[in-house]
Amino acid sequence: MLKNEDIKKELKLLQVNLIDSIKELVSIPSILSENSSKYPFGENIDKALKKTLEICRNLGFKIYYDPMGYYGYAEVGEGEEIIGILGHIDVVPPGNLDLWNYNPFYPVVENGKLYGRGSQDDKGPILTALYAVKALMNLGIVFNKRIRFIFGTDEENLWRDMKEYIKKEERPNIGFSPDSVFPVIYAEKGLLQFILECKNDSGIFLEGGTTFNSVPDNIIYNGEKQFELENELNRLKYDYKILKSGIKILGKSAHAQVAENGINAINRLAIALKNIGVTSKVIDFISNEIKEDPFAVNIFGNCEDEDSGKLKFNIGKISLKERESLFIDVRIPVTINKSDIVDKIIKTACKYELDYIEYDWLKPIYIPKDSFLIRTLTNVYQEVTHDIKSKPISSGGATYARAIDNCVAFGAIMPGKVKTAHQPNEHIILEDIFTAFEIYTKAIYNLLK
């Protein structure tokens, strides 16, 4: 039987090594790049995967690197049963560097926080769970089940890594992904990503945004009627900057799962352009149907359910070149049929002669609150934090918990704390990550039992 004081003593000894490992991994800019024939998602993502496996090997884990470079895993223990812990080492681009206080890939510890892209999503949390198992190893725990850490490389995009893993490897019997919030996520909304596009006959050329699942925080316009646009932006009280290259419309970045926390610069530009008579089919779609509504009520009505809340709608990218294209991310409540949502999108898009092209779909997950897994993880969280008010929750996020059955998202953000993933100055709070360290250690120990 593990003693609480022994756990705390061991965790204290490992804290410095944990933070050093997080900093080492965050310093690798593991952003998607598909221009390499040697690596499926680019050299930096492969470098981050190999560095993660090197850390695991040094901690005493058996490691495996997929020869194709899609994934890797680290394992300890014996037996047929597998406890899976799934995380990812790819990150989204840093966005506007002017909004960062520090270099996003030069991690800095300041005022009890560790700053850097990927520190919260998901390099810090997955390494915290890894070191939790190391603590159990140091404490002499016998692993009568295998604990397998599965490291993905394409979570921020199409999950091609997990598709490869599932084709080739054993699936865990039970598990969690440390890529969300505590106490535990029992339901995740469906995630639909699609493109609306048509031939560009507008004469407008425009490019902005970075990914489907980030609210764009700026876009530069250098076309006609810039003086009129400036006046309209002033009238609408939209923030902007005048540059030599044009007018930069300013928004506020946020993850698409909480799009209402951001300000969509693409939407604001479309509204202002339509008002001054600069139009195209995608500009009309945004300004007529979406405006600045992150719930797209004009298309879907009040679409929500008791378990998972409101539908979320985010235009993450826009491109007007030879074709007009919008790149859209929708988080669908768990009880709502995807087909109903797609029908409404297509019906609306047809009014603007826009074609619907599905890019990705991740089905929702729902595990009852009274299941063994949810009860075990919730009880450990409450034991460590003494927080009995926080209950299992639903999320609009899409975590690797969807990749296998009987898996949920579990931490590492504490209730009520700021989510900085996908935003400038992404960071983890060290005090909170050390609390998560203890939670993961005890949770894994309980799952072993």
Side-chain angles (χ1 to χ4, degrees), residues 26-79:
V26 168
S27 68
I28 302 172
S30 48
I31 301 165
L32 176 68
S33 173
E34 297 182 274
N35 299 322
S36 169
S37 59
K38 188 175 180 181
Y39 309 106
F41 309 121
E43 185 175 0
N44 280 328
I45 286 181
D46 190 75
K47 183 180 177 182
L49 176 59
K50 288 175 178 173
K51 173 55 67 175
T52 304
L53 294 175
E54 177 188 316
I55 292 169
C56 294
R57 185 181 62 234
N58 292 339
L59 292 176
F61 290 80
K62 299 174 187 176
I63 63 170
Y64 177 81
Y65 171 81
D66 169 45
M68 300 295 291
Y70 280 89
Y71 60 88
Y73 65 79
E75 190 172 276
V76 66
E78 303 292 338

